[in-house]
Amino acid sequence: MLRRYVIDTADAAGAVRELAAALPDSTLITDADVLASLGHDHAEWAPVGRPLAAVRATSADEVQAVVRECAARRIPVVTRGAGTGLSGGANAVDGCLVLDVSRMNGILQIDTENLIAVVQPGVVNNDLKAAVAAHGLWYPPDPASAPWSTIGGNVSTNAGGLCCLKYGVTRDYVLGMEVVMGGPAGPYGSRVRLGRRTTKGVAGYDLTSLFVGSEGTFGVVTEITLKLRPAPVAEPRTVVGAFGSLVAAGAAVALVTSRGLAPAALELLDRACMQAVEDWKHLGIEPGAEALLLARTDAPGDAGAAEADALAAAFREAGALWAEQSTDAVEAEALFDVRRLAYPALERLGPVLTEDLCVPRSAVPDMLATIEKIGLRHGVRIATIAHAGDGNLHPLLITEPGDEAARVAAQTAFEELLRAAIAAGGTVTGEHGVGLLKRGGMRDELGPAVLAVQRAVKRTLDPLDLFNPGKVVGED
């Protein structure tokens, strides 16, 4: 259950009137239907509370005012961007104010000399990519939700994506940020700058990295300074391998790793994912295998050709039914579009409970086999996509709408998958975050001593438990 702050209707009405008077420059949203749409992310079956009100902020000054007034009244603040999260991290708690920062979507600076961009949290990932590409630059983090998800949300969960195998995750590109917080920083509503604009810097503790992945539990991010890279000059090559089983595809991933190959991306789709995309988009896919591996290499010239040859050879040696290369950019991008479309295609079939396990790359074959066994044991339909090259697996548990028994079975399988990932030396979340769905699994993974340290950090930075209470390390 999510914590309840405002208990009865009279209390709620009075709190709304007070907030409206205290925030004359903000428009408080109280319409029930709008609040319902703003009160949750895409996590299936994560608990959702009833918010008191919402504000669509347009500036850091407005965020400060909202936080200041909410702190004075002990009204929790739950920040959201595009709402594309998959762990319940942006779900409302009862009596909270939902702070929507998606309209803070300005790209404030693109510094071509120092390879830096400064953005507000509501900037959509792909919009940033397009803006810096016009200057011959590149922002590599690319979650599958990049056409919709915001940079602030990506920072909040330390999002990864298809290219993180070679180029790293969001944390690797965040140099600094501006946050609105309280606690040791001063009164709630204080605006603080963390980090730097320089390539190097070790002045004090790395608070910027602490805030990346903190899921809005320490404060509200209002500005982000990001590192950029020069745009790749080589046309990428794509290698596709078809496999008769998920385990064989996993063996190919392990072989690629053991040979020291470093593709820009190495993605896995099983037959169920491919069929769901084809049934939806009619792209002409013929899923004649149980699994596909998609590898992309962006090394230039002969080096790229050699890497593509080596990847294809590894696929064949691991038992691929066939492995082919594509140098046609349109065809190659179409294949990766299938990967990006897999999740929304599966959502059309019924409620989808999304896992986000990450295991050592050598453990990928065994983990894929375990996923299949758990699905069979609980009678749960599981489709699997994966950032296979870094061991980040996304089993998608699909149920029939309204089938309560299937829901219970899926949630039981979900928890068993978490335990299996931990037993394999992995983690319960690679990029989606803990939110509400993974709190139990995270506790099992970390143990009581580390959990106590994490809770101490939360209490120190947010002594009122104002920001996104009950999430990540929060008490049940």
Side-chain angles (χ1 to χ4, degrees):
M1 295 293 292
L2 294 183
R3 188 179 317 182
R4 187 175 184 84
Y5 285 79
V6 177
I7 303 300
D8 59 36
T9 303
D11 288 341
V16 170
R17 285 195 298 271
E18 286 186 17
L19 281 175
L23 299 167
D25 297 326
S26 294
T27 301
L28 279 186
I29 298 168
T30 57
D31 180 86
D33 291 336
V34 178
L35 290 180
S37 69
L38 293 175
H40 63 87
D41 63 16
H42 282 189
E44 194 66 48
W45 301 320
V48 179
R50 187 174 64 186
L52 179 72
V55 170
R56 290 191 171 107
T58 58
S59 70
D61 288 342
E62 187 173 12
V63 170
Q64 284 186 279
V66 167
V67 169
R68 187 181 303 121
E69 297 303 330
C70 285
R73 294 161 178 79
R74 299 299 191 269
I75 295 171
V77 175
V78 176
T79 308
R80 66 167 276 135
T84 60
L86 293 167
S87 68
N91 283 12
V93 300
D94 282 340
C96 77
L97 182 137
V98 174
L99 182 55
D100 181 353
V101 296
S102 61
R103 293 186 179 179
M104 295 175 62
N105 57 3
I107 298 175
L108 306 179
Q109 182 184 20
I110 298 174
D111 183 342
T112 58
E113 291 185 315
N114 294 299
L115 303 183
I116 287 172
V118 181
V119 305
Q120 291 181 310
V123 173
V124 171
N125 184 297
N126 270 5
D127 290 347
L128 175 61
K129 289 182 187 295
V132 302
H135 297 271
L137 301 174
W138 182 37
Y139 177 66
D142 62 338
S145 60
W148 315 283
S149 64
T150 59
I151 297 297
N154 293 171
V155 169
S156 178
T157 60
N158 190 25
L162 279 63
C163 290
C164 63
L165 172 60
K166 184 174 183 178
Y167 292 104
V169 296
T170 299
R171 178 177 280 117
D172 300 308
Y173 294 87
V174 179
L175 292 173
M177 63 179 68
E178 177 187 86
V179 296
V180 173
M181 55 185 298
Y188 275 81
S190 296
R191 199 187 310 187
V192 180
R193 286 196 172 273
L194 307 175
R196 60 194 190 279
R197 292 174 62 96
T198 56
T199 303
K200 298 167 65 177
V202 290
Y205 299 123
D206 189 355
L207 298 180
T208 302
S209 290
L210 179 64
F211 271 72
V212 177
S214 62
E215 302 187 42
T217 59
F218 298 153
V220 183
V221 176
T222 53
E223 185 182 290
I224 307 143
T225 301
L226 298 166
K227 179 170 61 176
L228 305 175
R229 298 176 65 103
V233 296
E235 198 70 55
R237 298 168 182 265
T238 297
V239 180
V240 184
F243 295 84
S245 70
L246 276 176
V247 175
V253 172
L255 185 57
V256 166
T257 299
S258 68
R259 291 186 173 175
L261 299 173
L266 182 55
E267 298 290 304
L268 178 146
L269 299 92
D270 72 2
R271 177 191 286 270
C273 295
M274 291 183 279
Q275 190 64 60
V277 173
E278 176 59 21
D279 291 345
W280 180 28
K281 293 294 185 180
H282 307 293
L283 301 177
I285 306 165
E286 296 183 5
E290 290 303 313
L292 280 187
L293 282 181
L294 305 177
R296 173 179 286 167
T297 174
D298 57 5
D302 292 342
E307 187 170 59
D309 288 342
L311 287 164
F315 288 2
R316 294 187 190 103
E317 289 180 39
L321 303 174
W322 52 263
E324 302 291 344
Q325 298 183 42
S326 171
T327 56
D328 183 311
V330 174
E331 179 186 37
E333 193 57 35
L335 289 167
F336 278 90
D337 283 343
V338 173
R339 164 63 181 87
R340 294 185 180 96
L341 289 168
Y343 181 78
L346 289 164
E347 275 191 313
R348 296 173 67 249
L349 305 179
V352 177
L353 189 57
T354 306
E355 273 285 17
D356 172 38
L357 314 169
C358 195
V359 298
R361 286 175 285 191
S362 60
V364 167
D366 287 345
M367 192 66 211
L368 288 169
T370 298
I371 290 168
E372 290 187 319
K373 291 174 184 175
I374 289 174
L376 290 171
R377 180 158 56 248
H378 294 282
V380 176
R381 181 182 178 188
I382 300 180
T384 300
I385 55 179
H387 308 305
D390 55 19
N392 192 182
L393 310 179
H394 296 313
L396 307 173
L397 293 76
I398 306 163
T399 62
E400 291 294 327
D403 188 332
E404 179 64 15
R407 183 190 68 78
V408 172
Q411 290 185 312
T412 302
F414 182 90
E415 297 299 331
E416 188 171 339
L417 286 166
L418 297 182
R419 293 191 293 272
I422 296 170
T427 178
V428 299
T429 175
E431 59 185 2
H432 293 169
V434 173
L436 292 168
L437 291 181
K438 299 293 183 75
R439 287 181 302 171
M442 184 200 70
R443 293 166 191 164
D444 291 342
E445 178 183 331
L446 298 182
V450 173
L451 183 61
V453 173
Q454 299 232 356
R455 285 178 170 160
V457 173
K458 165 67 171 171
R459 287 193 296 270
T460 299
L461 295 181
D462 180 20
L464 295 182
D465 197 19
L466 190 82
F467 298 112
N468 215 9
K471 313 293 176 59
V472 192
V473 300
E475 305 277 358
D476 286 330

